[in-house]
Amino acid sequence: MAGLPEHLLRRSAEARAKAEGRDVEEVLAELKGEAPPAPKEPAAGPEPAPAPAAPAAGPGRDLDAESAATGVPVPLLQRAMEGRARREGKPVPAMAGAPASAPAATAPAAAPAAAAAPAAAPAIPDGVTTQRLLTVVKAGAIQQVKSSPQDKVSVWPHLLAIEFVALMVVTAGLIIFSVFVDAPLLEFANFNEQPNPSKAPWYFLGLQELLSYFDPQVAGVIIPTFGMIGLAIIPYVDKNPSVRPSDRKLAIMVFSFFVFASAVLTIYGSFFRGPGFNFSFPWVDGIFFDF
Amino acid sequence: MANGNGKVGLKERVSQAADHVRTSQVWSSIFRPGSPFRAGYTDSPRNRSYVIMNNVLYHLHPVKVKRHAVRLSYTLCLGGLSFFLFILLTITGIFLMFYYRPTSPQAYLDIQALATDVAFGQLVRNLHRWGAHLMVLTVFLHMARVFYHGAYKPPREFNWVVGIVLLVLTLLLSFTGYLLPWDQLALWAVTVGSNMGAYAPVIGDQVSFALIGGVQITPDTLLRWYVLHVLFLPFIIVIFMAVHFWRVRKDGGISGPL
C-alpha cells in the first residue's frame, strides 16, 4: 500500500478489527499485505490466504473466495499479493481478469519498494483514474484555517480620540473664521439688472470658463456629464490590481491631469475673469468673485 | 472622609453624589457595559472592545482597525470631516429654517434680519455658508485621497460609485442653497449655473423647466429649491451615505497600506 501513512492504516485496521472481533495486528498486517504476526499463524490456519506458504503466492490463488472468507476486498488482497511478490523478488502471480504486471515487477526487484511502485503503474490503462483510499478525516484536520495576524489597534481610544480632536479643530476653525468673515449678501435680487460679470458658484466656474472656449452643449453638458461618468467607471476601467504608486503611474498621471486642469480652470474663471468675462489681472482690475 | 473640622468636605460630597448618580438605574441603563461613563470602568482590552460594540458608533467603526489606518496622514480625516460637516450643516440649517421664509421679498429680508434681529443669527449663517463651501472641498479632496490610495479597487468598486453620487448630491445641495438668500449674487449665479444645464440635448428644456419651475427663475423657483435644499436632497444623500458607510465596513474596512 504505497503512499498511505502508517497512522491512517492503523486507524482503519483498528476500526475493522473492532467490527469483526479480530486482532488489530492481524488486520493491520492484512491491510499492509504482510504476513500476520507469528503467534497468530495457527489461528489463521484455516484460511489459506495470509499464510506465507509458497502455494499462497501461486498462480491458482482464488481471491474471490479469500475475500468472502476474510471480508477483505479483492483489490486489497490483490495489491497485498503484488507487494509481497515485489519484496520477495518473485514474479507477481497472474490472476484472472487482472492484467499481468509480472514482467515489469521482476526487473527492479532489487530496488526499494517505493521505486518499484511506479514500475507496476503501467498495469492501469492510460486515462483511467484510480482511487487509492476512502477514509474519514476528522474535521479538525482540514479546517485549521489560521488568519494571518494583522497589526491592529483598538478604535477606542486610538481612532476616536483622533477623530474627536479633528472635529474640534475644524469646528473651532470654522467658528473663528465665521466670527471674522461674514457671508456675502448683495442687493435684493433684481431681474432687470444683471451684474457684470455674472459668475456661477465657484465649483462651477471651471465649467463656465470652458464656456468661453466651447459650444455650450460641449462645455455645459457633454464635458460635465462625461466627466462624472468617467469618474464613476474608474474602478471598472482600471484593472491594475496594485495599489502601489510606482505600479500606477499612468492612472495617477491621468487623474492628476484632470484634477490639475479643473483646478486651473476654476482659479482662472474665479480670479482672472473681469467684466464681460474678459481676462483681467486681479491685482490690476480687482477681484470679481464672491463666495 | 471627614476633614479637620469633623465635617464632610465639599469634594467628598460631590464625589459621593457622582457615585450615586453613576450607580443609579437610569445612568446604567443609558450607558451600556464598557462605556467609559459607566461606574467601575477600567481600561482593559475587553472594555475597549465593548466601548465600540455597545455603542451606536459600531455602525461606523469596527472594534479594531489596522494600525496604519489611524495615522492622520493616511486619510487626513477627510471622509469623516465631510460627514461631520454634513451634520454641522444640518444643525445650523435647522436653526436658519426658523427665521427664513422662501418667498420674495421675505427671503431677502429674513436673511438681513439674521444679522440684526436674531441672536447669533449672522454667526450661524456664516457657519452654514463656510461649512458648505468647506464640505464641497473635503468631499472632493476625499475623492482624490481615495483615488491616490487606489482604494477604489476591488472589492470597493461600487462604493467608489456611491461616492461619486455623493459628490454630485453635495454639489446639488450647495447649488440649491446658493439661491436662497435671494440677492443679486444668488439670483445671477444660479441663472448662469442653470443656463448651462439647459443646453442638455433633448431633455435640457424639460429638466430646466422642472428644476426652476418655469422658463426663467422666478420667486416660484425659490420655493422649489428651498424644498429641494432642506428636504429632498438631504433625504437622498442620507440614504446614499448610509450605503456608503455600510459598504466601507463590508468591503473590508479602510483600504490597506500602500
Side-chain angles (χ1 to χ4, degrees):
Chain A
M1 284 228 161
L4 288 183
E6 174 74 27
H7 69 279
L8 284 181
L9 267 179
R10 178 165 287 279
R11 208 197 289 174
S12 173
E14 279 167 4
R16 180 174 297 164
K18 193 179 170 192
E20 295 176 359
R22 291 162 62 196
D23 186 62
V24 176
E25 294 303 322
E26 183 188 291
V27 179
L28 185 62
E30 199 173 81
L31 282 180
K32 285 180 178 171
E34 287 166 355
K40 299 292 172 194
E41 206 172 346
E47 50 172 32
R61 197 170 156 188
D62 185 359
L63 291 181
D64 287 334
E66 253 177 67
S67 172
T70 58
V72 179
V74 175
L76 282 182
L77 284 174
Q78 186 184 330
R79 218 186 287 173
M81 210 160 63
E82 285 173 6
R84 188 183 311 155
R86 265 199 305 279
R87 262 194 312 282
E88 292 168 4
K90 288 178 193 163
V92 175
M95 268 163 308
S101 55
T106 41
I124 301 161
D126 281 346
V128 175
T129 318
T130 55
Q131 304 300 324
R132 287 237 140 164
L133 175 73
L134 184 66
T135 184
V136 178
V137 181
K138 283 185 182 170
I142 55 170
Q143 290 184 347
Q144 286 179 341
V145 181
K146 270 192 182 172
S147 59
S148 51
Q150 273 186 317
D151 193 13
K152 289 195 165 187
V153 294
S154 297
V155 166
W156 168 263
H158 301 292
L159 182 56
L160 288 189
I162 291 174
E163 284 178 343
F164 181 74
V165 171
L167 300 193
M168 289 299 112
V169 168
V170 169
T171 310
L174 211 53
I175 289 176
I176 291 169
F177 189 80
S178 298
V179 165
F180 291 106
V181 186
D182 277 348
L185 188 68
L186 309 186
E187 308 82 52
F188 179 67
N190 183 351
F191 291 96
N192 301 315
E193 188 188 302
Q194 180 166 12
N196 186 13
S198 296
K199 290 191 178 182
W202 64 272
Y203 36 82
F204 289 151
L205 278 182
L207 293 176
Q208 195 178 351
E209 177 63 27
L210 284 177
L211 276 174
S212 322
Y213 313 118
F214 299 108
D215 183 80
Q217 289 229 344
V218 176
V221 179
I222 292 177
I223 288 178
T225 306
F226 279 74
M228 282 301 155
I229 292 175
L231 273 178
I233 64 170
I234 282 178
Y236 304 101
V237 175
D238 179 12
K239 295 285 187 192
N240 174 8
S242 172
V243 297
R244 289 175 53 218
S246 53
D247 296 339
R248 313 173 52 221
K249 284 177 184 156
L250 177 69
I252 288 177
M253 242 162 59
V254 172
F255 185 83
S256 301
F257 169 77
F258 282 110
V259 168
F260 186 72
S262 40
V264 166
L265 285 173
T266 304
I267 290 170
Y268 195 85
S270 302
F271 301 114
F272 292 87
R273 289 291 184 177
F277 216 65
N278 292 316
F279 179 84
S280 75
F281 284 112
W283 51 88
V284 177
D285 306 307
I287 293 177
F288 298 89
F289 176 73
D290 269 309
F291 249 132
Chain B
M1 276 290 281
N3 60 13
N5 300 328
K7 288 184 179 176
V8 179
L10 182 64
K11 213 173 168 184
E12 281 81 31
R13 278 202 214 169
V14 170
S15 115
Q16 277 169 9
D19 283 348
H20 189 68
V21 170
R22 275 154 63 92
T23 50
S24 70
Q25 188 187 357
V26 174
W27 189 272
S28 53
S29 72
I30 295 172
F31 298 103
R32 302 193 63 198
S35 167
F37 303 112
R38 209 175 153 91
Y41 174 82
T42 49
D43 186 23
S44 64
R46 182 182 150 98
N47 271 346
R48 286 182 175 199
S49 303
Y50 274 149
V51 169
I52 301 298
M53 282 165 69
N54 284 348
N55 191 304
V56 69
L57 285 176
Y58 202 32
H59 286 285
L60 296 178
H61 286 312
V63 166
K64 288 190 170 191
V65 290
K66 299 164 202 155
R67 187 179 291 278
H68 77 92
V70 289
R71 272 189 10 242
L72 191 61
S73 58
Y74 189 74
T75 63
L76 300 168
C77 289
L78 286 168
L81 284 182
S82 304
F83 179 47
F84 172 68
L85 285 170
F86 177 80
I87 292 173
L88 192 81
L89 289 167
T90 307
I91 295 168
T92 53
I94 290 171
F95 177 90
L96 294 173
M97 282 173 73
F98 287 128
Y99 303 103
Y100 179 81
R101 281 158 285 186
T103 56
S104 178
Q106 271 307 326
Y108 182 76
L109 300 177
D110 287 342
I111 300 288
Q112 273 187 326
L114 279 174
T116 54
D117 300 358
V118 180
F120 298 110
Q122 182 68 45
L123 178 68
V124 175
R125 175 169 177 245
N126 293 347
L127 278 173
H128 195 75
R129 192 169 188 106
W130 303 135
H133 287 316
L134 188 60
M135 183 178 165
V136 173
L137 201 64
T138 55
V139 169
F140 180 82
L141 292 177
H142 174 58
M143 181 191 75
R145 195 284 293 176
V146 166
F147 178 87
Y148 286 118
H149 283 162
Y152 56 83
K153 303 201 170 193
R156 299 183 176 83
E157 311 103 301
F158 182 66
N159 215 13
W160 168 270
V161 179
V162 175
I164 299 298
V165 173
L166 286 172
L167 171 67
V168 173
L169 287 170
T170 305
L171 290 177
L172 286 177
L173 270 166
S174 177
F175 191 50
T176 50
Y178 216 82
L179 181 68
L180 302 186
W182 204 236
D183 61 347
Q184 281 290 73
L185 176 64
L187 175 64
W188 294 102
V190 170
T191 303
V192 171
S194 51
N195 277 351
M196 284 196 274
Y199 288 113
V202 190
I203 56 164
D205 289 337
Q206 283 79 358
V207 168
S208 173
F209 190 91
L211 274 181
I212 65 179
V215 290
Q216 66 165 15
I217 291 178
T218 64
D220 290 342
T221 316
L222 193 55
L223 175 60
R224 193 164 289 224
W225 284 36
Y226 175 73
V227 173
L228 287 176
H229 184 73
V230 304
L231 216 63
F232 180 74
L233 289 172
F235 173 69
I236 301 291
I237 203 172
V238 162
I239 291 174
F240 276 92
M241 283 197 298
V243 176
H244 197 62
F245 302 156
W246 183 75
R247 285 298 294 248
V248 170
R249 296 280 316 268
K250 291 292 157 184
D251 292 344
I254 202 156
S255 63
L258 294 182

